[in-house]
Amino acid sequence: METNEKNTALVFKAFCDENRIKILNILSSGEKCACKLLEALNVTQPTLSHHMKILCDSGIVTSRKEGKWMYYKISMQGLKVAEAYLVALKKTGKEDKND
């Protein structure tokens, strides 16, 4: 089983790229086919696959295959995990009242 720190790093890595943020914004309106993501972004198919692997590995995005196409959507459970990490950091940060 992976450590909590490793899982946390995977989640935050997913948010640390402009293209992945664009992908999340596109997916915020619902499930999309990879072909639609390619149309919306100025990236190659291998680059999109790389970004989608990072997003899926983090748990923020889920995928399913239908025929030859991949479909992606935001995982509400994955977002809850990311939110929990931020809440935990916020609680730790309350100890320092100088910020």
Side-chain angles (χ1 to χ4, degrees):
M1 178 176 230
E2 295 181 348
T3 65
N4 191 38
E5 291 84 6
K6 183 166 182 148
N7 291 333
T8 303
L10 287 172
V11 168
F12 285 104
K13 180 179 180 180
F15 294 118
C16 290
D17 182 86
E18 183 179 339
N19 284 317
R20 289 193 287 274
I21 297 300
K22 287 178 186 176
I23 291 166
L24 291 171
N25 285 333
I26 294 166
L27 294 177
S28 69
S29 64
E31 183 180 68
K32 299 286 184 286
C33 176
C35 60
K36 295 296 180 187
L37 295 173
L38 275 173
E39 288 175 10
L41 300 169
N42 189 24
V43 298
T44 64
Q45 188 279 325
T47 299
L48 177 64
S49 292
H50 168 75
H51 289 305
M52 298 316 298
K53 178 173 178 9
I54 291 170
L55 288 166
C56 289
D57 286 352
S58 74
I60 301 298
V61 171
T62 60
S63 66
R64 68 179 179 87
K65 188 170 186 164
E66 188 174 304
K68 66 177 184 172
W69 300 108
M70 289 297 293
Y71 289 83
Y72 298 96
K73 68 178 181 176
I74 293 176
S75 165
M76 290 301 120
Q77 183 173 346
L79 289 181
K80 287 178 185 178
V81 170
E83 181 182 35
Y85 293 143
L86 291 172
V87 168
L89 288 173
K90 184 177 177 183
K91 287 179 182 178
T92 302
K94 285 184 178 181
E95 296 171 9
D96 186 6
K97 296 183 181 184
N98 293 331
D99 290 334

